[in-house]
Amino acid sequence: MSKRYQHIARLIIAGLFISLAAQAQKLEVGGGVGGMLYKGDVSTHLNPRFYKPAANMFLRYNATRSFSLRGGLAIGGIRGEDRFSRDPFQQARDFSFNSRISEATIDLEYNFLNYIPQPKVKNWTPYVFGGIGLYSVRNAVIRARGFVNFPLGIGVKYEINRPWSVGLELGTRFTNSDYLDALGERTFGVTSAKRAQGNPALKDSYTYTAITFSYTFYRLVCP
């Protein structure tokens, strides 16, 4: 190969690495630990007593200073017990459950402050997010997957020491299911009592809170 073509090849390779490096600055990988809380027939409000551990991992693409796209996986559990309710009906029903939840979600995030991938900028911002996901649930009544949920929440992230960031997030997963608590419209046979039938007008949901840690690929090292 002539020197001219060698020079052109080097320019092309250098251009590719520069392009990849620029894109790498927009990629962020991370994970978090926290817990899940359930809301439905057994617990009509978010009761911290029923908090169960959960964990997640995610890949975030910071498309612009204001918008990011994130894909994530999470696993955790939810539970509830009638005996802690002040409702006489629930106390008489005396129902309890434990369910295991797994989910995959895609969210669009909006940063309230500019999040700029530059060496001398201390990045931090509150943000909101919304999206769509698929989840599976396992309990005494149902073992199924492929249900749809709709995540909606808020968070804050802070770049503590580039390229590492820490965050705090709270998001609710709204569902069209009444069986997260094993107490759906037609499940009273589980306890042989019709009072164990769920309220079809009250759909179940669960909230996930987490402390997150992430790494942003600011530099691409050439081998």
Side-chain angles (χ1 to χ4, degrees):
M1 182 183 294
S2 68
K3 290 183 178 181
R4 178 183 177 185
Y5 288 113
Q6 288 179 359
H7 181 65
I8 292 174
R10 291 193 189 101
L11 288 176
I12 293 174
I13 293 172
L16 287 173
F17 273 106
I18 291 171
S19 176
L20 286 173
Q23 292 300 314
Q25 292 179 1
K26 297 183 177 183
L27 290 178
E28 189 177 347
V29 63
V33 292
M36 290 180 177
L37 273 174
Y38 146 89
K39 181 180 177 182
D41 291 304
V42 181
S43 181
T44 57
H45 62 282
L46 297 176
N47 188 340
R49 182 189 297 272
F50 302 137
Y51 195 72
K52 292 198 69 175
N56 75 309
M57 58 188 299
F58 61 86
L59 177 66
R60 178 185 281 134
Y61 177 70
N62 298 305
T64 68
R65 295 179 178 183
S66 299
F67 290 97
S68 300
L69 186 65
R70 179 180 62 175
L73 301 172
I75 187 169
I78 55 174
R79 73 182 188 94
E81 297 182 55
D82 274 336
R83 67 189 178 96
F84 293 109
S85 173
R86 296 180 180 179
D87 186 338
F89 173 81
Q90 287 188 244
Q91 291 176 358
R93 182 173 62 187
D94 196 25
F95 185 80
S96 64
F97 78 96
N98 273 282
S99 296
R100 188 173 185 84
I101 301 288
S102 302
E103 68 171 24
T105 56
I106 296 178
D107 305 322
L108 179 65
E109 299 178 353
Y110 174 75
N111 300 320
F112 288 101
L113 303 177
N114 287 336
Y115 209 71
I116 309 170
Q118 293 179 0
K120 294 184 179 180
V121 176
K122 272 293 183 182
N123 284 318
W124 82 276
T125 182
Y127 62 92
V128 294
F129 66 89
I132 190 170
L134 295 175
Y135 71 95
S136 65
V137 57
R138 294 182 60 182
N139 53 45
V141 171
I142 189 171
R143 296 185 181 186
R145 58 186 176 183
F147 292 124
V148 177
N149 64 16
F150 301 95
L152 184 66
I154 59 174
V156 61
K157 54 186 177 180
Y158 175 70
E159 200 167 46
I160 51 175
N161 187 14
R162 181 160 296 188
W164 297 98
S165 299
V166 64
L168 182 64
E169 185 172 292
L170 183 151
T172 295
R173 276 61 167 163
F174 298 95
T175 79
N176 290 320
S177 173
D178 197 28
Y179 290 91
L180 296 187
D181 49 19
L183 196 61
E185 184 179 358
R186 294 181 294 276
T187 56
F188 57 85
V190 174
T191 60
S192 301
K194 193 165 184 176
R195 64 175 179 270
Q197 182 173 339
N199 180 1
L202 181 63
K203 300 302 181 184
D204 300 332
S205 64
Y206 60 100
T207 295
Y208 178 42
T209 60
I211 297 174
T212 64
F213 301 91
S214 61
Y215 179 93
T216 301
F217 294 93
Y218 281 109
R219 289 183 295 179
L220 187 67
V221 179
C222 180

